Amino acid sequence: MLTNRRTIRIEWGDCDPAGIVYFPRYFEFFDACTVALFERAGLFKRDMLKRYGIAGIPLVDIKAQFLMPSRFGDDVVVESSVTKWGNSSFVVRHRLMKGDAMAIECFETRVWTAYPDGDPEKFEARAIPEEVKKRFGADAESKRGE
Amino acid sequence: MLTNRRTIRIEWGDCDPAGIVYFPRYFEFFDACTVALFERAGLFKRDMLKRYGIAGIPLVDIKAQFLMPSRFGDDVVVESSVTKWGNSSFVVRHRLMKGDAMAIECFETRVWTAYPDGDPEKFEARAIPEEVKKRFGADAESKRGE
Amino acid sequence: MLTNRRTIRIEWGDCDPAGIVYFPRYFEFFDACTVALFERAGLFKRDMLKRYGIAGIPLVDIKAQFLMPSRFGDDVVVESSVTKWGNSSFVVRHRLMKGDAMAIECFETRVWTAYPDGDPEKFEARAIPEEVKKRFGADAESKRGE
Amino acid sequence: MLTNRRTIRIEWGDCDPAGIVYFPRYFEFFDACTVALFERAGLFKRDMLKRYGIAGIPLVDIKAQFLMPSRFGDDVVVESSVTKWGNSSFVVRHRLMKGDAMAIECFETRVWTAYPDGDPEKFEARAIPEEVKKRFGADAESKRGE
């Protein structure tokens, strides 16, 4: 299973008056980490949207557990991988690590989506191409590590 | 059960290149709606933190389902209420409505938290004062499930 | 000169570990206030982009002076007006007021812009229609106030 | 003159419905680049605030010119340096480069600031220690103008 690891420096502007990360920021990190995971699989988002004629991979469901806070100046590592492939949806798991300890675990369910008429209210789920799924699969095993 | 309703205009800067709300923004909305719910219960956050000697009410768990997208220029309404009170934690439910349709449902589990030594890594859950719970109405006592 | 006044509640998530607004947030406020000013002039952004075939009104220049900080829970008022019209560009002035005191003054220079080939790197300034300018002009005088 | 260079990947969530960076995001980048510049000078922000008893280095003035847009997937480089030292204030210049071309130039004027009573409304400018200025190099002494 292809896993991407990304180091993130927690910035001053990521934190709130209690001195810890303002939690919506974590979801910005995770969204960028999903993009980075696809890029690691050889799918640069800008090209991917064009090639497959989709508008994006929006979320339909998200769950997260926050076990430890982080504060500005911390360097954390997010480990991301696809844990489940459906026909048109998939699940990405992110683990935000502080050293060896898991600070946050998040599961994003996303959908391969087109807006046939350019109208986001008329979005349409599309089947994920097999060649996309394969890029995250067994032959990716050898590419582990950063 | 005390419910707060807040109308939110979706701004240009809330939206992504697909023309729909960039999802972490929803969590910024919901966080502000939790604050607004407390204010509606007579607890202005700035005063509340001082009076009760807490640093904040950070999240430990979040779940959300995204049923419909929204785009810039939309006016949506977020309905917020506490659905469960524990000893030191509580659950806030947010429903983002587009007219009569629910576009998003979100459950935030938050903890009444102090940082005894001013160090966010040494946070400490505190018992939520009964007078705080009472402000959200007798119905809340029934501990409606998620 | 048409002026729009918008009250903004400073939210917890707008503030940094020093307890004051993280300054890029002010520019989010001002951007939304420019949109609100156009809407007050009868130009709802989503319709305006379609009707005039433009992609947006991006900034080419910005200046701001920060005279007083604001912190979460503050209610501030932003007064916005167009102070100069050029052929394809215009200047919006925002004054963020705390009571009678001006806390911030900002000047945004923006351009009426199309992306002829759908490529943002090939943006093209367009002449601002006279009917757009007129909406902010003399006959708008009577609409002052909130 | 000490200069810090930081590569920034433009993320999907940094961009607006026109497909280009939502401009307040640039100021988040620049703020983080100012912190990175200080870190390069041996001043890790979290330690610096404690050691010198300040609450932060908030902005009092900012100017920026936007010459070229950027879009998601772009890798840009921000070059940051202090161009002027005053008694309690200093100017940081950021140049956002796309290859050899300057896309944005920004000048931030910041103040070495304490909040003596923990009240951000009673902020107080403090003299910048000479040892801090020295860390940015002798060339900085020449007080290059904006």
Side-chain angles (χ1 to χ4, degrees), chain B:
Chain B
M1 187 175 55
L2 185 68
T3 298
N4 190 60
R5 281 174 189 78
R6 178 182 259 203
T7 299
I8 294 173
R9 159 60 60 95
I10 305 298
E11 302 289 355
W12 175 261
D14 294 326
C15 297
D16 68 16
I20 62 172
V21 175
Y22 179 55
F23 79 91
R25 287 286 189 167
Y26 286 124
F27 296 113
E28 298 190 17
F29 299 165
F30 296 151
D31 187 65
C33 287
T34 293
V35 172
L37 173 63
F38 273 75
E39 191 163 340
R40 189 174 176 76
L43 296 159
F44 181 59
K45 186 165 182 173
R46 208 157 69 187
D47 300 337
M48 182 175 89
L49 300 188
K50 269 190 200 162
R51 191 188 316 165
Y52 297 109
I54 55 170
I57 46 172
L59 280 159
V60 288
D61 191 279
I62 199 163
K63 286 177 209 173
Q65 277 193 292
F66 302 88
L67 309 173
M68 294 193 302
S70 294
R71 53 184 183 145
F72 81 93
D74 284 350
D75 287 313
V76 299
V77 174
V78 178
E79 299 177 355
S80 308
S81 54
V82 174
T83 54
K84 191 176 175 184
W85 288 104
N87 179 51
S88 59
S89 72
F90 58 100
V91 177
V92 184
R93 182 184 61 205
H94 302 285
R95 286 177 170 159
L96 188 144
M97 309 295 293
K98 296 179 73 171
D100 290 337
M102 187 171 74
I104 304 177
E105 187 171 38
C106 177
F107 292 92
E108 300 174 331
T109 306
R110 292 173 175 269
V111 176
W112 199 256
T113 302
Y115 303 136
D117 308 310
D119 177 355
E121 308 218 358
K122 287 172 190 147
F123 62 96
E124 204 177 276
R126 293 274 170 85
I128 304 166
E130 284 306 314
E131 67 186 67
V132 168
K133 297 180 185 177
K134 271 186 197 146
R135 287 173 174 274
F136 290 80
D139 284 349
E141 294 294 329
S142 62
K143 304 194 179 187
R144 298 178 180 218
E146 273 176 48

Side-chain angles (χ1 to χ4, degrees), chain A residues 129-146:
Chain A
E130 284 306 314
E131 67 184 67
V132 167
K133 297 180 186 177
K134 269 185 200 150
R135 287 173 174 273
F136 292 80
D139 62 338
E141 289 290 342
S142 57
K143 297 181 197 161
R144 277 192 190 227
E146 202 165 353

Side-chain angles (χ1 to χ4, degrees), chain C residues 12-28:
Chain C
W12 175 261
D14 294 328
C15 297
D16 68 16
I20 62 172
V21 174
Y22 180 55
F23 80 91
R25 287 287 188 167
Y26 286 124
F27 297 113
E28 298 189 19

